[in-house]
Amino acid sequence: MGRVLILDDHAVFGDGTKLLLENRRHVVEVCVWLEDLHLFESRHTRANFDLALLDLVFPGQQFDVLDALYAMSRWRPSPAVVILTAGGESRRHFIERALEWPIVRGGMPKSASACDLDRCITAVLAGGQLYDHEISAYRPPAVRVPPDDLLGPDARIWFALARGRTSHSAIAAELGCRPKTVQNRVRRMGDVLVARGLSSNPQPTLRDLAHYAARHATYFAAMERRWTRDRGSNAGQ
């Protein structure tokens, strides 16, 4: 038995899946997709879900599956995520990007049988992974750990992104500079990611960089501690 959050913009699908899982003795809550990301976070951050069933595409909403993964990766503890999708080549970009996130542990088509979905959830709740064979074909190679020299003069921006600063103005306030300066540096940071094969978007935006930093939050936190320690040592000499 586990605590399961269903995030879907179709109430019929969400309620039907809830009944299915409750018959298998899971504790289930359905979130029919909310317009406001902050409202979503405030309602669910402290709920301690073990697993989230996450729809892949939300037409007409103000944020998408990648925003949801970014938000849930900051929950403590973070739930394991199973992606649900109707598939199709038009969704390839979303599938590939979503499957890069470490908290994603499984993927099933919405046409999956009750037994297959139950098998996937059971495997993920036990600490494993389970992907339908079609979704598995979209899984990327292991996500590369950012190299130390990726940081360079933009280290503080990476650290701010990894701590949840997701606007030019918020980062500028922390760094003590103008938002335009941050915008220019973010553009250069995106070019570096592309040049090193670390971005699937040929023109990364600030949100792309924030998603990348969130995926590697543990790495960037360790690098910030080392960066702070080294600066302190140099100041004392």
Side-chain angles (χ1 to χ4, degrees), residues 78-197:
S78 300
V81 175
V82 172
I83 297 293
L84 299 176
T85 176
E89 190 62 26
S90 63
R91 292 175 168 83
R92 182 184 187 95
H93 172 72
F94 278 118
I95 298 174
E96 290 178 340
R97 296 286 299 281
L99 295 183
E100 291 178 355
W101 286 78
I103 62 173
V104 175
R105 310 293 293 173
M108 300 294 291
K110 284 193 169 182
S111 59
S113 69
C115 290
D116 285 343
L117 181 59
D118 184 55
R119 188 163 55 91
C120 177
I121 290 174
T122 300
V124 172
L125 287 175
Q129 302 183 46
L130 186 63
Y131 295 86
D132 173 82
H133 69 281
E134 292 184 8
I135 296 177
S136 186
Y138 291 103
R139 296 181 70 190
V143 178
R144 294 169 54 190
V145 174
D148 290 0
D149 60 356
L150 175 70
L151 301 176
D154 303 309
R156 293 182 65 196
I157 297 181
W158 281 119
F159 301 153
L161 288 168
R163 282 188 272 101
R165 305 289 190 270
T166 55
S167 71
H168 294 112
S169 57
I171 297 171
E174 182 170 319
L175 270 61
C177 63
R178 295 183 305 159
K180 183 66 175 178
T181 301
V182 175
Q183 184 178 356
N184 292 335
R185 291 172 65 180
V186 163
R187 189 178 300 116
R188 181 180 62 201
M189 292 162 64
D191 292 340
V192 172
L193 284 186
V194 172
R196 298 187 178 211

Side-chain angles (χ1 to χ4, degrees), residues 40-53:
F40 162 65
E41 291 195 82
S42 66
R43 280 182 53 175
H44 300 288
T45 299
R46 304 183 187 281
N48 292 328
F49 291 102
D50 302 305
L51 184 143
L53 295 177

Side-chain angles (χ1 to χ4, degrees), residues 51-67:
L51 184 143
L53 295 177
L54 178 59
D55 193 5
L56 187 69
V57 178
F58 299 88
Q61 300 295 332
Q62 299 300 310
F63 57 102
D64 59 31
V65 63
L66 301 179
D67 292 317

Side-chain angles (χ1 to χ4, degrees), residues 198-214:
L198 298 173
S199 173
S200 56
N201 185 348
Q203 294 182 317
T205 64
L206 178 64
R207 190 174 73 169
D208 291 320
L209 267 65
H211 288 160
Y212 183 83

